[in-house]
């Protein structure tokens, strides 16, 4: 009983205290079997709509360095949601759909979130020069009692994350502020790569600094290790991340960076597996076509996949036209 009372007091005093000792968090996205089957079937049949129908809400497990489960993250979103008259659900808009993320600490409570985040639907993978194309997320402290972003939770807002104008130009960037309007900037998250994002062969690192340029940590999208990770990377959009943060960093800033990590995942690493197999060319007498995404080229918020293609094509793409036999030329009349 005393343990339960202690947990309740922790949640009521400051639910973010569970982040106080954290300095390295390992984030692993759960694989959705339904989503993987639907996406690969859509690729094989060249039917994008089929893959959209199988899109499911994401779930993540967050571990400490010793392998212990620290947090669970659950996405809540609508499959066919609308914002006004505009579609904002997973089927039409993933991975840019409207969603809420709820972060639970199992050691405290499995039903009451210690923090949560709200992300509106945006036009993704395009130039971030207009508000409708600028990715953003608002992070709130728990306990999770009201609708994210609603009046009940406005006083619990701890961070607002957004892309700067033109998205950092050639290197993806997020600005983290303490409030949405006229907020004070508390961190800048920027990729250490130029014009290139993702890829299977190497880690993708995002450096976190204060507005004065001081080191605040880093977020790393891990490259696959071992055959199992390679297969998961090829066939699904489930990814692994590691977040490094100073132990003495303020818990609200740690919570803001954790929200930023998930926003980065939806922005850059949720567009499907790295390998697509198209079987439609077999019906034409050809062989299957394999597309492997090497990376995404990045500029001003726009993403352009860089892929290599193997196989494909019909058996006889061009049929030889029968040659017309020329009629013998008429003999010229002999002049008299």
């Amino acid at each position: 009983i005393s343990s339960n009372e202690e947990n309740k007091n922790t949640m009521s005093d400051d639910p973010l205290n569970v982040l106080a000792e954290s300095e390295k968090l390992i984030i692993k996205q759960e694989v959705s079997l339904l989503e993987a089957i639907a996406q690969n079937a859509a690729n094989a049949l060249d039917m994008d709509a089929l893959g959209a129908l199988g899109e499911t809400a994401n779930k993540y497990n967050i571990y400490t360095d010793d392998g212990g489960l620290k947090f669970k993250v659950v996405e809540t979103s609508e499959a066919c949601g609308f914002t006004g008259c505009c579609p904002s659900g997973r089927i039409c808009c993933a991975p840019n759909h409207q969603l809420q993320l709820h972060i639970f600490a199992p050691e405290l409570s499995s039903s009451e979130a210690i923090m949560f985040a709200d992300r509106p639907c945006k036009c993704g993978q395009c130039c971030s020069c207009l508000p409708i194309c600028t990715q953003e997320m608002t992070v709130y402290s728990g306990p999770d009692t009201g609708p994210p972003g609603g009046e009940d939770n406005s006083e619990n807002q701890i961070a607002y994350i957004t892309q700067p104008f033109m998205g950092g130009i050639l290197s993806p960037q997020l600005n983290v502020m303490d409030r949405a309007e006229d907020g004070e900037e508390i961190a800048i998250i920027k990729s250490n790569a130029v014009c290139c994002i993702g890829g299977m062969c190497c880690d993708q690192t995002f450096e976190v600094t204060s507005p004065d340029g001081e080191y605040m940590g880093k977020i790393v999208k891990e490259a696959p290790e071992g055959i199992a990770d390679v297969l998961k990377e090829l066939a699904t959009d489930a990814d692994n991340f590691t977040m490094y943060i100073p132990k003495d960093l303020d818990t609200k800033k740690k919570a803001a960076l954790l929200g930023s990590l998930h926003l980065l995942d939806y922005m850059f690493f949720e567009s499907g597996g790295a390998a697509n197999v198209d079987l439609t060319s077999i019906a034409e007498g050809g062989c299957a076509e394999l597309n492997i995404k090497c990376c995404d080229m990045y500029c001003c918020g726009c993403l352009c996949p860089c892929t290599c293609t193997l196989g494909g094509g019909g058996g006889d793409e061009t049929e030889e036209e029968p040659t017309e036999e020329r009629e013998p030329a008429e003999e010229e009349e002999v002049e008299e």
Side-chain angles (χ1 to χ4, degrees):
I1 297 176
S2 59
S3 177
N4 292 335
E5 290 179 353
E6 184 179 351
N7 288 344
K8 289 181 180 180
N9 290 335
T10 304
M11 286 290 289
S12 60
D13 294 341
D14 186 359
L16 298 181
N17 282 337
V18 293
L19 287 166
E21 300 298 318
S22 301
E23 53 185 334
K24 179 181 178 182
L25 295 175
I26 300 169
I27 298 90
K28 295 186 177 183
Q29 183 179 348
E30 293 184 7
V31 175
S32 170
L33 186 58
L34 172 62
E35 184 175 309
I37 292 174
Q39 187 62 56
N40 284 279
N43 293 332
L45 301 175
D46 197 18
M47 296 175 58
D48 292 341
L50 178 60
L53 291 173
E55 188 70 31
T56 60
N58 287 355
K59 294 181 180 180
Y60 305 82
N61 294 321
I62 302 180
Y63 302 89
T64 54
D65 198 15
D66 60 2
L69 180 63
K70 186 74 172 178
F71 306 107
K72 293 185 72 70
V73 182
V74 179
E75 172 196 330
T76 57
S77 57
E78 297 182 2
C80 300
F82 283 83
T83 301
C85 60
C86 299
S88 59
R90 295 191 306 272
I91 291 179
C92 294
C93 304
N96 303 296
H97 56 290
Q98 182 179 9
L99 60 88
Q100 291 79 41
L101 294 176
H102 307 266
I103 294 89
F104 300 90
E107 63 186 39
L108 297 181
S109 173
S110 58
S111 59
E112 195 171 51
I114 63 164
M115 58 177 282
F116 52 98
D118 179 36
R119 190 192 75 159
C121 181
K122 294 287 185 175
C123 294
Q125 290 79 48
C126 58
C127 183
S128 56
C129 58
L130 297 173
I132 194 174
C133 301
T134 302
Q135 295 288 339
E136 61 182 84
M137 177 179 280
T138 309
V139 182
Y140 303 87
S141 64
D144 186 1
T145 55
E151 295 180 358
D152 294 341
N153 295 316
S154 58
E155 62 182 20
N156 295 332
Q157 181 178 330
I158 58 175
Y160 173 71
I161 309 154
T162 184
Q163 286 181 291
F165 180 71
M166 303 304 286
I169 311 299
L170 298 180
S171 293
Q173 179 177 328
L174 291 176
N175 293 342
V176 184
M177 297 174 285
D178 59 353
R179 306 292 294 180
E181 298 180 1
D182 301 324
E184 179 183 354
E185 193 172 54
I186 58 178
I188 298 172
I189 303 172
K190 191 166 187 175
S191 171
N192 63 357
V194 178
C195 292
C196 180
I197 195 81
M200 290 186 56
C201 300
C202 58
D203 296 341
Q204 177 69 52
T205 302
F206 298 86
E207 301 287 348
V208 184
T209 59
S210 69
D212 298 329
E214 296 181 1
Y215 175 81
M216 289 180 61
K218 63 180 179 179
I219 296 170
V220 181
K221 192 271 183 186
E222 304 286 354
E225 297 180 357
I227 296 178
D229 282 347
V230 170
L231 293 176
K232 184 176 75 170
E233 186 85 7
L234 289 172
T236 74
D237 58 11
D239 303 300
N240 296 335
F241 293 84
T242 302
M243 186 172 76
Y244 302 87
I245 42 179
K247 188 175 181 179
D248 58 352
L249 188 67
D250 182 74
T251 55
K252 290 184 178 180
K253 293 181 180 179
K254 290 182 179 181
L257 297 183
L258 187 58
S260 301
L261 181 150
H262 288 89
L263 180 57
L264 289 171
D265 183 32
Y266 284 100
M267 288 172 60
F268 300 119
F269 308 109
E270 281 292 305
S271 57
N276 297 330
V277 180
D278 186 353
L279 302 179
T280 55
S281 57
I282 295 179
E284 302 173 359
C287 60
E289 181 178 286
L290 173 63
N291 295 307
I292 299 178
K293 186 171 77 170
C294 303
C295 63
D296 285 311
M297 305 306 294
Y298 179 89
C299 181
C300 303
C302 300
L303 287 178
C304 179
C306 179
T307 62
C308 61
T309 302
L310 303 173
D316 295 322
E317 295 184 1
T318 58
E319 297 181 358
E320 294 184 0
E321 297 182 359
T323 57
E324 297 180 359
E325 295 183 359
R326 292 185 177 182
E327 296 181 359
E330 295 181 0
E331 295 182 357
E332 295 181 356
E333 295 180 0
V334 180
E335 295 182 359
E336 293 181 357

